[in-house]
């Protein structure tokens, strides 16, 4: 995203040139850590030390919502009285930008 902003600066005469023009992309293929699910014993240990964040961690694990999705929720998103209880995630907070 930085290149988009810097190109805008160049187009509007706000800077003399694109400072990242000669910076090469870093090849990270094969260097990323593999993602994995949290193990039961790890989850238990996390809950033992989580104190104020315990409810957040439990909700994240059982709903598979991410921090950004959880932080945007309000109680009106929690539908416990519906025939099938669920949490409504507005599209603006969802990772796919589609309401869940």
């Amino acid at each position: 995203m930085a290149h988009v902003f810097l190109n805008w600066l160049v187009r509007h005469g706000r800077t003399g040139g694109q400072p990242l023009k000669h910076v090469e992309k870093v090849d990270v293929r094969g260097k990323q850590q593999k993602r994995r699910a949290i193990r039961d014993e790890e989850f238990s240990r996390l809950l033992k030390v989580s104190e104020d964040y315990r409810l957040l961690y439990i909700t994240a694990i059982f709903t598979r919502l991410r921090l950004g999705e959880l932080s945007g929720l309000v109680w009106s998103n929690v539908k416990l009285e519906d025939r099938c209880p669920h949490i409504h995630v507005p599209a603006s907070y969802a990772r796919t930008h589609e309401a869940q």
Side-chain angles (χ1 to χ4, degrees):
M1 289 302 277
H3 70 281
V4 174
F5 177 65
L6 292 169
N7 288 337
W8 180 88
L9 290 172
V10 171
R11 278 195 315 275
H12 290 87
R14 306 279 184 173
T15 185
Q18 175 39 295
L20 299 180
K21 185 178 187 176
H22 301 289
V23 175
E24 295 181 23
K25 288 185 177 182
V26 176
D27 184 8
V28 295
R29 290 177 291 185
K31 297 176 185 169
Q32 299 101 333
Q33 288 185 344
K34 294 230 179 217
R35 295 180 71 165
R36 64 174 179 79
I38 189 170
R39 293 200 256 332
D40 289 342
E41 64 272 8
E42 293 171 326
F43 185 51
S44 294
R45 285 194 336 246
L46 176 65
L47 292 181
K48 286 179 184 174
V49 299
S50 60
E51 296 181 11
D52 295 341
Y53 296 99
R54 183 180 172 87
L55 181 58
L56 176 69
Y57 294 141
I58 291 170
T59 306
I61 291 293
F62 287 103
T63 63
R64 297 176 46 181
L65 294 176
R66 296 179 181 187
L67 181 59
E69 294 163 334
L70 288 168
S71 65
L73 292 179
V74 293
W75 276 111
S76 61
N77 296 122
V78 180
K79 310 295 183 184
L80 296 177
E81 303 301 323
D82 285 5
R83 184 175 54 82
C84 181
H86 66 281
I87 297 175
H88 172 76
V89 180
S92 58
Y93 294 112
R95 73 185 116 200
T96 61
H97 298 291
E98 295 176 8
Q100 298 179 357

